[in-house]
Each structure stands twice: as structure tokens, then as C-alpha cells.
Amino acid sequence: MGQKLRSQNWFGKKGKDGFIYRSWMKSQGIPDYEFRGKPVIGICNTWSELTPCNAHFRELAESVKRGISEAGGFPVEFPVMSLGETLIKPTAMLYRNLVSMDVEESIRANPMDGVVLLCGCDKTTPSLIMGACSVNLPTIVVSGGSMLTGRYRGKNIGTSDIWRFDEDIRMGRMTEEDQTVAEACMGRSRGHCAVMGTASSMACMVESLGLSLPENAAIPAADARRKVLAQESGLRIVEMVKENLLLSDILTRKAFENAIIANAAVGGSTNFVIHLLAIAGRVGVPLELEDFDKLSASIPLLANIQPSGQYFMEDLYYAGGLPAVMKELRYFLRTDCITANGKTIGQNLETAECFNREIISPVDKPFNKTSGIVVLKGNLAEDGAVIKPSAASVKLMQHRGKAVVFESIEDFRQRIDDPGLDVDENSVLVLKNVGPKGYPGMPELGNMGIPKKLLAQGVTDMVRISDGRMSGTGFGTVVLHVSPEAALGGNFSVIRDGDMIKLDVPGRSLLLEVPEEELQKRKKNKSPMLQGPGRGYVQLYIREVEQASQGADFGFLKGGSGSEVTRDSH
Ligand code: FES
């Protein structure tokens, strides 16, 4: 190790300052030799009993610590705010940027030479990576792993089934007692959602970016090999510090391209777009919404995993995991990218193998030729909107229909099941004011339910458009992330009941068939509908958050401030 350890700016100091730094560590019962010259590795832990997906992280951290100590490092675990998707109101996304600030400042302010990020539930991954990028120390990610596949009355189930159960309950096909049983059958182990939802997509993103050891994406949380990976990651981060392998060495433009290609092949979440844009913004890599479409347009869907397919994350792991998917993609990937284990993507893929072609299909005989994220533009989404074709209905990919407009989620809930609602299967449901500023926080409300009277007629999908997001576990012909959002007063804000909308996914367009003159007139009479001003963090959020097409980060958080701290207080 050539360079001086950053932590020695604390523990290696002479005089009063050094006394204070060391003495208070010793008060925890830690001997002097632990922090004299050993790499100090922070373990950023999102453990919380309010984040059930990450509730096993204290145990996982113990495995990481074993690896760090084994390699001659000194582990220090620290907490950050944890975002549990299921319990946090109004939406975990509102706090993603807040956590990224917590992570950034916690790392920079403390004596760390390297960092292990323990990520699991959806937002815990991008928030930690965004924060770490703005400091840029050697960093490795350990994901928590997915739940075991749910089993309900002889059937495999996962989070995507919640949307189906919801329709069954509304239609009286499922009783409350059935529901109680199904809840326990689905959440039967530790870990995050077992389908290719946002958490699994984030775990795949981490591995395809090169931020973790191979296999990180798919090992189930309950599988003993998850702990082995955690221990090996602890071992490896100490070496990364010695090699001075920084986040910015791994996170090149080519690495981002690999992540987009991999996300397409696994049928990853639309939320991936927003989070990857935000991460790129922190490391200063140019990445635009259009890149997602350009890079994934020729990539077929290889992983037969819900919600785009049939199987679960556990099955993906047994079939060979993400390395087996990426091996199929090797002619599309930038295989010379360096990864956390010091090897290139290409070297890591040499030993990858597929054990089940039903779950990971070969690239020349894909599970579905359609994959990825399609970026739509037009006068209804001047700065773009997205759709995930693999989770949508083929017959709705080109569709023209009359808008049925809901001004807010409360308006939607009040009227959607009204028998008098003027809606048929060709209508286009439009939900406004669920964008980043307008809600605020851009909740996952985009895959709004089908009206009860249409469900009774056997309608299972309709075109739905909003400025919000959709759970990665959701499905349907759902256009999301309309930018600019309704609260900013663009064309989307003045769409009315009965306006004709034309969706053309192959043509990448989303049009409102209303003359420009009429749109201008409507906009003149409408004032922007912003919540607030509010106070505290929410006020800051509404003021600073950018649009979904830019990653919904705060403008002032883009880039980084490095790891240097030049002033101290003693
Ligand atoms: Fe945590 Fe789905 S709720 S990953």
C-alpha cells in the first residue's frame, strides 16, 4: 500500500487531537493496534425493523466484519436512515435524496478508508450509492438478497400477485380470510421482493455496474451463500483500499451502458431509469433518458422472471444467476470494464454457466424479443415518458383512446369504481399530480387499478398514463414518469376528459390530439399546482427536486465533494 491511509488523519495524529480520536474509540473496548495503520472500513448499514426487507442486516454485517478482520482491516459499522418501501409514508422516494445526503456526509466526516454498502429494499440501494459516489472512496456493495418464493395453496406467489389479489378482493373472488393466509404465504422469509421488482433490479444494477462481487444479485437472503458473499466482500474491500480502486474507476460510462443492457435482459424495473440517471449525475458520467432506449432497443428479454415472466429470483439464482444472463449478453457488453473484485466483466463471465434454459434463455432464442425501457416523446411528454413493453399488452402498443382524467390520486380513488364513470376498455386512464414536485415524492401509483365495471367485463389491461412511478413488481400498459409533470403546468397538466390520446410504442411517441392553439389557451388559464410551501425537508425537496427525466435528484447534490476534510474542531 503506497498511499497514506485517510483514517490516519484521525488515528495517526499526535498530541491532543490524536488523544481524543483514539481514546474515545478505546472506550468501546477496542485495542490500540486496531486503528494504528489498519485500513478502517465503514459498514453502512440500513438495518431497521421498519424496513423488513433489511431486517437481517445486523447478521449480514457480522459476516462482512469477519471478512474485513480476516484481511487485516478494522470494521466500523454505522447506521443511516433506512427506507422501507412498505411502511414509509407518503412514499420512500421522497426520502431517497435525504438518505443520500446522510450517507455522503457520514462517510466524508468520519475516519474511513473504504466502505461496504449494505443495500436491500428498493431505495436503500440508489440512495447509498449516490451518497458514496459524492465522496468516492473504495466502495463495495453487498445486497441483502431476495425472499424465498412464496407458496400459497399449491401456487408460487410473489409481490406481483398483490395486484392480482387486489382485483380479486374488489371483485369478491377473494375473502379477507384468504388474504390473511396469502400474506403469510408470501412473506415467508427474510429478504426483499422475490420478483424482478425494483430491489432485484437494483441488485442486478449493482452487479452489472461492477460494484459487487459476481453472484451478488440473485443469491436468496435465506441462502447460506449470501453470508459467504458478505464475508468475501469484507475481505475484498480491504484489498480495494490497498489498490486504491475508487468508485469512479468502476463507474465509467461503459459500466452504465452495461447496466442498461443487463436491466433490459432481466426485464428490470422502470425505477431503474430514475436511479441510474441520479447515480450517473453524482459521478459526473453523461447519461440521458434517450440512452436507455438506444442501448436496450436491440436487447431481448432473457430472464423469465415475474412481472415480465413466470419465475422468481430464487429460480434465477439456481439457473446460474446474473452471470449466466450476462454471459449470453457478452457480445453486447463492454467486457473490459473493471469490477470490484479487480477483474473485468469479461474475466468474471468466463466461469458463468446456465443450468436452466427455461429461466435464462439463450440470446438467439430469447424468452421475449421485446425488452427494456422505451422512451416516449410527444406533445404529451415534451421531456419524455417511459414504458416497459415486456410487462405490457402487445395489442395496446399502438392505441388511440379517449382520456378519462383524474386530477389527483384522491380523485381517482373516489371515482374509479363509480358505475356512472364514462369509461370503456378503449379509454386511456390519466392520473395527474403524482410527480416529484406535485405529490411530492413521486409515489408508485402509476399502475392504477382497472374500473370495477370493466373488470367485471373481463378487461385485464388498459393504457394508463401518469407523471408518477410504478412499483417494479407492477405490470400493464402503463406509461410513467411524464415530464414535465402536471404540477409544472405543461401540456400534461391541461389534458381533459374526452381528449384523444395516441400511444405509439414502436414509433416512440405519445400525442395529445388537441390543437396547439387550444392547449395554449388552456395553459394560460391554469396556474401551476404546487403543494406547499411546507417546512423542513419537504420544503427543500419541492424546491430542489429535478424532473424524472433527469433522475429526480437535487440539482445542488450533483457531482461530488471528494473525501478530503481540511478542518477539524479540536
Ligand atoms: Fe422491500 Fe419490495 S418492499 S423490496
Side-chain angles (χ1 to χ4, degrees):
M1 181 160 49
Q3 84 282 11
K4 181 187 164 194
L5 286 169
R6 178 176 182 269
S7 58
Q8 290 309 298
N9 293 327
W10 284 260
F11 302 132
K13 272 213 161 167
K14 294 194 188 315
K16 174 179 83 6
D17 288 357
F19 181 103
I20 293 169
Y21 298 135
R22 288 185 296 272
S23 179
W24 263 260
M25 289 302 279
K26 288 174 184 177
S27 73
Q28 300 179 76
I30 299 165
D32 192 72
Y33 61 78
E34 285 285 16
F35 34 81
R36 287 228 192 242
K38 282 189 181 180
V40 178
I41 309 295
I43 303 171
C44 181
N45 201 341
T46 46
W47 169 86
S48 166
E49 287 174 343
L50 292 168
T51 305
C53 302
N54 298 15
H56 58 299
F57 277 19
R58 289 207 282 202
E59 219 180 296
L60 208 57
E62 289 309 312
S63 298
V64 174
K65 281 182 188 172
R66 264 204 297 279
I68 293 169
S69 302
E70 201 184 326
F74 172 47
V76 281
E77 191 181 341
F78 65 99
V80 287
M81 183 181 180
S82 183
L83 300 179
E85 203 60 32
T86 52
L87 300 178
I88 279 197
K89 290 186 180 190
T91 168
M93 184 63 182
L94 178 62
Y95 306 108
R96 184 199 65 178
N97 299 345
L98 176 64
V99 174
S100 79
M101 292 163 81
D102 180 356
V103 173
E104 174 181 348
E105 303 305 337
S106 294
I107 295 174
R108 183 180 301 112
N110 280 295
M112 293 177 214
D113 301 302
V115 190
V116 181
L117 306 177
L118 294 189
C119 307
C121 197
D122 297 13
K123 310 298 176 295
T124 58
T125 303
S127 57
L128 265 56
I129 297 174
M130 287 160 68
C133 281
S134 292
V135 189
N136 197 25
L137 286 178
T139 302
I140 196 166
V141 179
V142 177
S143 300
S146 59
M147 285 179 194
L148 295 176
T149 306
R151 296 282 297 164
Y152 172 64
R153 296 188 172 156
K155 269 202 207 145
N156 288 338
I157 61 163
T159 316
S160 298
D161 289 288
I162 294 174
W163 318 116
R164 296 185 187 103
F165 291 155
D166 182 48
E167 286 179 358
D168 288 346
I169 291 162
R170 285 168 62 210
M171 296 308 294
R173 297 186 294 242
M174 190 176 197
T175 64
E176 268 188 40
E177 290 71 32
D178 292 340
Q179 190 185 358
T180 309
V181 174
E183 286 163 9
C185 293
M186 200 196 72
R188 71 186 182 95
S189 87
R190 52 173 56 190
H192 61 69
C193 291
V195 299
M196 191 53 77
T198 303
S200 301
S201 305
M202 288 293 98
C204 290
M205 176 193 80
V206 159
E207 187 172 332
S208 53
L209 281 170
L211 290 178
S212 70
L213 297 183
E215 306 276 10
N216 173 69
I219 305 175
D223 193 307
R225 287 166 287 187
R226 174 61 59 188
K227 281 193 186 174
V228 173
L229 180 125
Q231 184 160 341
E232 287 173 350
S233 302
L235 256 169
R236 178 59 197 152
I237 186 65
V238 178
E239 290 167 17
M240 287 170 77
V241 169
K242 291 176 184 167
E243 294 161 10
N244 198 28
L245 182 59
L246 302 173
L247 268 175
S248 57
D249 297 325
I250 294 173
L251 291 177
T252 59
R253 161 83 194 189
K254 283 183 186 174
F256 282 90
E257 292 176 0
N258 284 343
I260 292 172
I261 291 165
N263 186 68
V266 298
S269 161
T270 44
N271 288 321
F272 165 84
V273 177
I274 299 184
H275 300 322
L276 198 74
L277 284 168
I279 293 167
R282 296 299 184 97
V283 275
V285 165
L287 193 69
E288 289 176 358
L289 188 58
E290 285 73 14
D291 289 323
F292 290 80
D293 202 332
K294 269 187 242 155
L295 287 158
S296 61
S298 57
I299 306 299
L301 181 67
L302 303 182
N304 181 2
I305 308 294
Q306 290 195 20
S308 302
Q310 189 185 343
Y311 293 94
F312 297 85
M313 287 305 286
E314 200 183 337
D315 304 308
L316 179 66
Y317 180 53
Y318 305 145
L322 191 66
V325 178
M326 289 178 71
K327 191 160 192 170
E328 284 298 324
L329 295 170
R330 60 195 180 281
Y331 300 115
F332 297 100
L333 295 172
R334 287 61 174 155
T335 50
D336 56 339
C337 287
I338 194 81
T339 72
N341 69 355
K343 294 183 183 165
T344 63
I345 289 270
Q347 288 169 327
N348 286 337
L349 295 183
E350 278 166 18
T351 51
E353 221 181 311
C354 175
F355 306 107
N356 189 337
R357 286 296 181 199
E358 167 80 5
I359 291 161
I360 302 171
S361 56
V363 77
D364 53 357
K365 234 177 136 202
F367 166 63
N368 187 340
K369 283 192 184 122
T370 311
S371 81
I373 308 281
V374 166
V375 176
L376 304 165
K377 287 235 172 138
N379 66 345
L380 195 48
E382 296 106 308
D383 294 333
V386 301
I387 186 168
K388 182 174 163 183
S390 62
S393 301
V394 177
K395 65 171 194 219
L396 293 173
M397 291 291 93
Q398 285 174 307
H399 182 80
R400 214 170 148 262
K402 274 188 193 167
V404 177
V405 179
F406 301 95
E407 292 294 329
S408 67
I409 188 63
E410 290 76 19
D411 180 28
F412 171 82
R413 286 181 182 140
Q414 210 171 14
R415 296 193 293 124
I416 189 64
D417 288 337
D418 181 344
L421 186 70
D422 184 13
V423 64
D424 63 34
E425 62 178 304
N426 295 317
S427 303
V428 175
L429 302 182
V430 174
L431 175 60
K432 296 181 193 173
N433 294 304
V434 286
K437 287 180 188 282
Y439 190 71
M442 209 184 175
E444 293 182 332
L445 295 168
N447 56 328
M448 54 201 119
I450 310 273
K452 210 168 168 177
K453 67 178 181 188
L454 296 183
L455 282 176
Q457 292 166 21
V459 176
T460 52
D461 195 11
M462 295 173 75
V463 175
R464 288 158 272 177
I465 303 176
S466 78
D467 48 9
R469 297 178 304 119
M470 168 172 81
S471 163
T473 63
F475 50 86
T477 310
V478 184
V479 176
L480 302 153
H481 310 179
V482 169
S483 302
E485 62 174 297
L488 290 188
N491 290 346
F492 188 66
S493 73
V494 293
I495 183 167
R496 289 181 186 164
D497 278 338
D499 288 350
M500 286 305 285
I501 294 176
K502 194 172 158 203
L503 168 69
D504 179 3
V505 178
R508 270 58 184 161
S509 75
L510 182 64
L511 298 174
L512 180 59
E513 295 182 335
V514 174
E516 183 57 31
E517 213 176 288
E518 166 66 14
L519 288 175
Q520 291 306 337
K521 206 164 83 191
R522 289 186 196 176
K523 282 192 273 190
K524 235 185 184 164
N525 300 328
K526 187 171 171 72
S527 49
M529 189 177 148
L530 276 181
Q531 298 281 344
R535 62 162 293 281
Y537 172 73
V538 177
Q539 187 195 58
L540 175 78
Y541 184 92
I542 295 170
R543 199 175 65 220
E544 300 292 340
V545 72
E546 296 187 337
Q547 290 295 281
S549 56
Q550 299 165 291
D553 199 0
F554 296 160
F556 70 87
L557 288 176
K558 288 207 167 141
S561 308
S563 62
E564 207 182 338
V565 187
T566 51
R567 307 179 86 178
D568 55 35
S569 58
H570 304 303

